[in-house]
Amino acid sequence: MSYLTDRKRATGLGSAKTGTEHHWSMTVSSGALLILIPLFVFTFGPMLGASYEEVTATFSRPFPAVIAGLTIIVTFKHFAGGVQALIEDYVHGLAQKIAIVAMTCLSYAAMAVGLYAIVRLAL
């Protein structure tokens, strides 16, 4: 018979560590997207099929540019958090670390490209 405490039996089986922080981050970004996505659709939707001059005129105003920029930032942060949770659940070992780094780099690169495009249109 083993005389291990419950804590000793649980050691090495994993712990929550940043689980609560991750949950709140995803909850807050979901709430922000709940507000930002309709605003983005209503500011971007009328521009579909418009000429380049009309699009640059719209994005040269602060409100549409800020809404588009915030939507890009929050969307890709939410994407990174969701994919990281997926990778942590289904990929293990060195492949997990490589996949998380690759996904994080991809997410921030896409965010930077989107923000660069918005800035180019706005200026």
Side-chain angles (χ1 to χ4, degrees), residues 4-45:
L4 296 176
T5 63
D6 291 337
R7 180 184 174 275
K8 190 64 176 179
R9 269 189 233 104
T11 301
L13 297 178
S15 65
K17 292 181 186 166
T18 61
T20 304
E21 176 186 344
H22 178 78
H23 172 73
W24 274 107
S25 171
M26 295 298 283
T27 303
V28 169
S29 65
S30 295
L33 287 173
L34 191 63
I35 296 166
L36 286 171
I37 293 296
L39 286 173
F40 178 75
V41 168
F42 289 123
T43 57
F44 181 75

Side-chain angles (χ1 to χ4, degrees), residues 69 72-77 106-116:
I72 289 170
I73 291 169
V74 174
T75 299
F76 281 110
K77 288 293 286 179
L106 175 71
S107 178
Y108 281 112
M111 186 189 309
V113 168
L115 290 175
Y116 177 74

Side-chain angles (χ1 to χ4, degrees), residues 50-114:
S51 68
Y52 178 77
E53 290 78 22
E54 292 171 341
V55 172
T56 54
T58 301
F59 276 114
S60 64
R61 296 182 315 199
F63 183 73
V66 168
I67 292 298
L70 286 175
T71 303
I72 289 170
I73 291 169
V74 174
T75 299
F76 281 110
K77 288 293 286 179
H78 188 79
F79 166 79
V83 174
Q84 181 176 346
L86 182 124
I87 290 170
E88 288 171 350
D89 287 346
Y90 296 108
V91 182
H92 303 288
L94 181 62
Q96 178 185 34
K97 293 175 184 161
I98 292 171
I100 289 174
V101 168
M103 176 274 314
T104 303
C105 291
L106 175 71
S107 178
Y108 281 112
M111 186 189 309
V113 168

